[in-house]
Amino acid sequence: MSASFTRPRIAVSNTVFKSGPLFISSKGIGWKSWKKRWFILTRTSLVFFKNDPSALPQRGSEVNLTLGGIDLNNSGSVVVREDKKLLTVLFPDGRDGRAFTLKAETSEDLYEWKTALENALAQAPNAALVMGQNGIFRNDTADSTEGSFYQWNKRPIKSMVVGRPILLALEDIDGGPSFLEKALRFIEKHGSKVEGILRQAADVEEVDRRVQEYETGKTEFGSDEDAHVVGDCVKHVLRELPSSPVPASCCTALLEAYKIDRKEARVNAMRAAILDTFPEPNRRLLQRILKMMHTVSLHTSENRMTQSAVAACMAPLLLRPLLAGECELEDDFDDNRDNSAQLLAAANAANNAQAIIATLLEEYDSIFDVSFSLFCLEVSF
C-alpha cells in the first residue's frame, strides 16, 4: 500500500485535562439522589473513582478501583443546563447515539468541566476509527440512550489489571505505562533469553499473587522476578480482555491476505489489512505484543523459542475469533457436525492462526516500518 506523507504531527500524550468531583445520575439503580464521584478526563476517556485516586489511602481502606467511564471520540459535543448545573456529553455514533449527563457542584465547576471536555474532545481519537468498539467498561447489552454512567456500565470493574478495555490495555488513564506494558518491557529486557519463555507455564497461584501485589502497591517488575510468571501475567491479561485484541472483521481481513500465494503480495496485503481495517487501539495493541514476540524470537539459540513456537503460544490469545469459528474458513471437511469434522476444523483454524502470526513475526520489520508508523500517526487525529 502506498501513500504520500506530509510532516507528521506530534502525537498528543494522554494528558489529564481535568480531575475533580462530579455527581452521577441515580437513574436505573435505585438510588434516591445523585452520587458524588471523582472524575479524571484525558483525550481518550472520562473515567471515575469512588474517591480521589491520588490521595493517600487510609490504613485498612479498600483499593480505590476505577468504577467506570466512557471512551471519547472527536464526534462528541457538550451541552450545559446552567439552572440545574447539568453537563451532557453527546455522541452521534451508534444506532441512536449516546448521551451522558453529569452534575457539577457549582456554576464555576460546570463551565470549567465544559471547557475541559471540549478541549479533550477536540484532541480525541477520530470517530471513524473507534466507532463500534467497546466503550470503556461498557456492557455490550446496555441501551445507548440518555442516562447515567451506571446504566451504561452496570458491572463495576473488579481489578486494576484484569478486564481492562482495549483502550487502556497499554496505558493508564494518567498516561503512564499499564501493568501489561510494564510486563512486556520486563520480558524484552530480562526474559527474552530465558529458555521456554512464553511456552513454559508458571504456577497459577503465583500469577494471581503477582497481580494482587501490583494492585496493592508493587507496581514495578524487578530484574530478579521469575520471567515465566511475568510471561503468564501477559497471557492472563490478554485472555481476560473484554474483547479480542484482533476483532473478527480484522481476523477475516488478515486471513484473506494470508491466502495470497505470492509472498511479496501476501505481506503487502497483510500490512494493508492492519492499516485499513484495524481500529487504532487494536492496531497499537497488536503491534506492541508482536514487538515483544519479535524480541523473544531474536534469541532462539538461547531461549529455544523459534518464531513458529512463539506464534503457537500467542496466536490463540490474539486471534480469538478465528479459533472461535467466527471467520469463514475454506476447508474440505464434510459439514456433518460430527466430532471428527469439528476437530479437523478446529485444527485447521489453529494452524491458520499460527501461520498468520508467524508471518507477522517473520515480516515484522517490513510490515511495521517507518512509513507504517507515520501513517498511524496521521490517522490518529
Side-chain angles (χ1 to χ4, degrees):
M1 177 180 180
S2 62
S4 59
F5 299 102
T6 57
R7 183 177 179 178
R9 287 163 285 188
I10 303 301
V12 180
S13 63
N14 220 18
T15 303
V16 175
F17 284 84
K18 185 172 176 57
S19 65
L22 287 169
F23 291 88
I24 304 174
S25 171
S26 61
K27 295 178 183 178
I29 58 176
W31 289 339
K32 296 180 180 180
S33 62
W34 294 69
K35 290 292 181 178
K36 188 176 183 179
R37 295 291 182 257
W38 190 274
F39 284 76
I40 296 179
L41 172 66
T42 71
R43 66 176 286 265
T44 59
S45 63
L46 176 64
V47 296
F48 65 93
F49 302 76
K50 185 174 183 180
N51 303 300
D52 181 357
S54 64
L56 293 175
Q58 299 295 318
R59 180 172 295 181
S61 63
E62 295 182 358
V63 177
N64 190 26
L65 301 177
T66 310
L67 297 178
I70 60 173
D71 54 326
L72 305 180
N73 65 61
N74 64 1
S75 73
S77 59
V78 184
V79 178
V80 298
R81 183 174 175 180
E82 187 174 9
D83 59 332
K84 294 186 179 294
K85 301 182 181 66
L86 296 180
L87 183 79
T88 300
V89 185
L90 301 168
F91 295 93
D93 57 329
R95 185 186 61 189
D96 301 312
R98 296 182 289 150
F100 305 97
T101 300
L102 302 166
K103 185 176 182 179
E105 290 188 285
T106 66
S107 295
E108 183 180 2
D109 283 345
L110 177 70
Y111 284 99
E112 285 183 359
W113 274 105
K114 179 179 184 292
T115 299
L117 276 162
E118 288 173 340
N119 289 336
L121 289 168
Q123 300 181 38
N126 191 305
L129 298 175
V130 298
M131 194 175 295
Q133 295 300 298
N134 289 341
I136 297 179
F137 314 140
R138 185 175 72 178
N139 183 334
D140 286 336
T141 61
D143 292 332
S144 57
T145 56
E146 180 172 353
S148 69
F149 282 76
Y150 279 100
Q151 285 177 293
W152 193 42
N153 168 38
K154 299 180 180 180
R155 178 177 59 84
I157 190 169
K158 297 180 180 179
S159 172
M160 297 166 60
V161 172
V162 178
R164 294 165 67 94
I166 300 293
L167 279 169
L168 291 178
L170 298 173
E171 189 177 76
D172 286 336
I173 56 174
D174 62 359
S178 66
F179 174 91
L180 176 60
E181 173 61 31
K182 291 178 181 179
L184 294 171
R185 293 178 185 179
F186 173 91
I187 293 175
E188 290 169 337
K189 186 174 182 179
H190 302 291
S192 60
K193 297 181 181 180
V194 175
E195 184 174 341
I197 188 67
L198 300 179
R199 181 183 62 212
Q200 182 175 322
D203 189 296
V204 175
E205 292 184 358
E206 291 185 21
V207 174
D208 289 339
R209 186 182 303 115
R210 187 60 186 93
V211 171
Q212 292 171 11
E213 288 174 350
Y214 188 93
E215 292 179 330
T216 54
K218 188 180 178 182
T219 57
E220 300 298 332
F221 292 96
S223 59
D224 59 343
E225 295 199 38
D226 188 330
H228 297 300
V229 171
V230 181
D232 271 13
C233 283
V234 169
K235 291 183 178 181
H236 180 51
V237 171
L238 292 176
R239 189 178 296 114
E240 296 301 322
L241 287 172
S243 58
S244 175
V246 180
S249 59
C250 302
C251 280
T252 300
L254 282 175
L255 181 61
E256 290 301 319
Y258 174 72
K259 292 177 181 178
I260 298 175
D261 290 332
R262 194 162 59 89
K263 180 179 179 180
E264 183 179 356
R266 179 168 65 249
V267 172
N268 288 337
M270 293 178 77
R271 184 177 188 271
I274 296 173
L275 283 172
D276 296 341
T277 68
F278 277 59
E280 180 191 5
N282 300 78
R283 183 171 60 232
R284 289 180 58 238
L285 179 59
L286 175 64
Q287 183 177 357
R288 183 64 187 92
I289 299 299
L290 287 172
K291 179 177 179 291
M292 177 275 293
M293 296 167 62
H294 181 65
T295 301
V296 169
S297 69
L298 293 176
H299 300 282
T300 300
S301 61
E302 294 154 298
N303 60 33
R304 299 190 179 185
M305 292 295 292
T306 63
Q307 288 178 342
S308 179
V310 174
C313 293
M314 301 297 292
L317 301 172
L318 298 175
L319 304 180
R320 290 189 210 166
L322 183 53
L323 276 77
E326 298 174 23
C327 304
E328 291 294 329
L329 280 172
E330 294 180 3
D331 53 51
D332 298 324
F333 313 129
D334 293 332
D335 189 20
N336 55 13
R337 303 298 179 185
D338 64 15
N339 289 337
S340 60
Q342 291 178 19
L343 288 173
L344 288 171
N348 187 37
N351 289 337
N352 277 281
Q354 181 179 341
I356 289 171
I357 297 300
T359 302
L360 293 176
L361 283 179
E362 181 182 351
E363 303 296 334
Y364 180 87
D365 290 332
S366 59
I367 291 176
F368 300 102
D369 58 9
V370 174
S371 63
F372 182 97
S373 300
L374 291 176
F375 180 87
C376 293
L377 184 62
E378 286 293 310
V379 299
S380 296
F381 295 93

